[in-house]
C-alpha cells in the first residue's frame, strides 16, 4: 500500500488528479469506479479542467458509480446521478451512455456486477471513506463477500448526509451500493480522505485489524492500493 500525506485538501486532490490523469493517458479506454460526496469534488473539478484543456479525454472511458439513494429520480438534485452530471460528466467529453449506476439495474443488482465484468472489470476505483469506515454504502457489518445490493443506511451516514438535505427526515434510509467484493475486484484502488472527522476511520482502516466492523479495512488485502490523505485525516496513523 502506498500512502501519501499531503498538506491540505487541495494538495490531496491534486495528487489524486495527477495519478488518474496519467492512468487515463496510458489507458484511454479505462473503466473507472467513481464515488460521490464532498471529498472527490475538487478531484472532479480539476479532472474536468484538464479535459477542457485537452490534456485528458473521457471519450472512451466507462464509469461505474459506487452507489445511489433508493427512491430518488436521476433528476433529483440530491441524487448521485445529478451530482455526477453536475460535477464531472457534463464538464467532460464522456459519452453519458458509458456511465452506469447500480440503481439502474433494479431489481436485479447482480446485473450491475455482471455488467462490470462484461466491460472488462474496473481498472481504477476511486473511493472515499465514511466516518463509520464505510466504502460505497457498505456499512459496518457488510460481508467482505458482498455483491451489489440494496442496503439500509447506518445512523452516522444519515446524520452526515443530512447536510445536503433540507432536513434529516428527507435523507433516504435505503440505497443501492456496489458490494465490497465488487470493489475489491478493481485492479487498482485509490482511497482519498480529508479532515479530522475521518482520522479515526483512517486509523481503523489502515492500522486496525481487517474486520467487517470497518468495511474499508478490507483494502489492506488488496495488492494495488494508493491512499491519499491530508494531515488531519492522517493524524492518528503511527506509520507515516
Ligand atoms: P464525504 O463522504 O466525501 O462526503 O465525506 C465519503 C463517504 O461517505 O464515502
Amino acid at each position: 500500500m502506498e500512502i501519501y500525506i499531503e498538506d491540505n485538501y487541495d494538495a490531496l486532490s491534486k495528487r489524486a488528479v495527477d495519478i488518474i490523469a496519467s492512468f487515463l493517458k496510458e489507458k484511454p479506454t479505462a473503466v473507472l469506479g467513481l464515488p460521490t460526496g464532498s471529498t472527490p469534488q475538487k478531484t472532479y473539478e480539476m479532472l474536468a479542467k484538464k479535459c477542457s484543456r485537452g490534456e485528458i479525454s473521457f471519450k472512451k472511458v466507462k464509469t461505474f458509480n459506487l452507489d445511489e439513494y433508493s427512491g430518488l429520480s436521476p433528476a433529483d438534485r440530491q441524487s448521485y446521478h445529478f451530482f455526477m452530471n453536475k460535477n464531472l460528466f457534463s464538464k467532460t467529453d464522456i459519452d453519458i451512455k458509458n456511465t452506469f449506476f447500480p440503481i439502474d439495474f433494479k431489481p436485479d443488482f447482480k446485473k450491475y456486477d455482471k455488467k462490470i465484468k462484461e466491460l472488462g472489470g474496473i481498472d481504477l476505483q476511486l473511493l472515499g471513506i465514511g466516518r463509520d469506515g464505510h466504502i460505497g454504502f457498505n456499512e459496518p457489518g457488510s460481508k467482505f463477500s458482498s455483491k451489489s445490493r440494496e442496503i439500509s443506511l447506518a445512523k452516522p451516514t444519515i446524520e452526515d448526509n443530512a447536510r445536503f438535505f433540507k432536513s434529516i427526515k428527507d435523507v433516504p434510509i435505503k440505497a443501492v451500493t456496489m458490494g465490497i467484493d465488487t470493489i475489491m475486484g478493481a485492479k487498482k484502488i485509490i482511497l482519498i480522505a480529508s479532515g479530522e472527522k475521518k482520522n479515526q476511520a483512517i486509523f481503523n482502516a489502515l492500522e486496525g485489524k481487517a474486520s467487517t466492523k470497518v468495511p474499508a479495512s478490507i483494502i489492506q488485502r488488496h495488492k494495488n492500493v494508493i491512499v491519499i490523505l491530508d494531515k488531519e485525516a492522517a493524524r492518528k496513523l503511527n506509520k507515516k
Side-chain angles (χ1 to χ4, degrees), residues 6-190:
E6 306 294 347
D7 281 344
N8 51 44
Y9 174 65
D10 282 3
L12 93 79
S13 306
K14 184 175 181 311
R15 173 77 66 182
V17 167
D18 287 347
I19 297 170
I20 298 166
S22 338
F23 195 90
L24 290 182
K25 280 181 198 158
E26 213 156 281
K27 188 167 187 189
T29 58
V31 177
L32 302 180
L34 297 177
T36 49
S38 305
T39 318
Q41 270 185 2
K42 190 89 193 172
T43 302
Y44 292 156
E45 186 189 315
M46 291 163 83
L47 282 173
K49 279 199 184 130
K50 271 190 181 293
C51 186
S52 64
R53 289 197 298 261
E55 293 168 26
I56 53 171
S57 170
F58 287 81
K59 229 176 208 148
K60 296 180 182 160
V61 167
K62 298 185 181 69
T63 65
F64 286 92
N65 260 85
L66 276 173
D67 43 24
E68 176 61 286
Y69 290 119
S70 295
L72 297 188
S73 85
D76 192 308
R77 297 185 72 81
Q78 310 300 346
S79 76
Y80 290 164
H81 282 75
F82 191 92
F83 174 99
M84 290 307 299
N85 279 325
K86 178 169 165 244
N87 290 289
L88 188 71
F89 299 157
S90 68
K91 296 182 175 159
T92 67
D93 54 353
I94 199 161
D95 181 346
I96 209 75
K97 286 203 294 296
N98 289 332
T99 66
F100 303 95
F101 289 80
I103 199 121
D104 301 337
F105 290 73
K106 200 174 174 176
D108 185 1
F109 301 117
K110 284 197 191 100
K111 286 194 180 147
Y112 195 53
D113 295 338
K114 239 174 143 182
K115 185 77 187 174
I116 293 171
K117 273 205 187 118
E118 250 170 58
L119 296 185
I122 292 172
D123 294 304
L124 175 62
Q125 174 70 57
L126 184 62
L127 284 182
I129 183 171
R131 200 159 48 96
D132 62 0
H134 70 218
I135 44 175
F137 274 141
N138 293 285
E139 299 286 20
S142 299
K143 289 194 180 125
F144 283 168
S145 59
S146 57
K147 309 281 185 201
S148 298
R149 67 206 186 286
E150 187 167 49
I151 52 85
S152 296
L153 294 169
K155 202 164 160 255
T157 305
I158 293 176
E159 287 165 3
D160 284 351
N161 292 2
R163 70 188 192 278
F164 299 112
F165 292 81
K166 268 200 206 119
S167 135
I168 194 162
K169 287 191 208 103
D170 297 328
V171 184
I173 54 171
K174 291 197 170 223
V176 181
T177 182
M178 259 188 212
I180 295 186
D181 189 61
T182 319
I183 293 171
M184 286 294 281
K187 288 160 201 138
K188 186 183 188 81
I189 291 177
I190 300 177

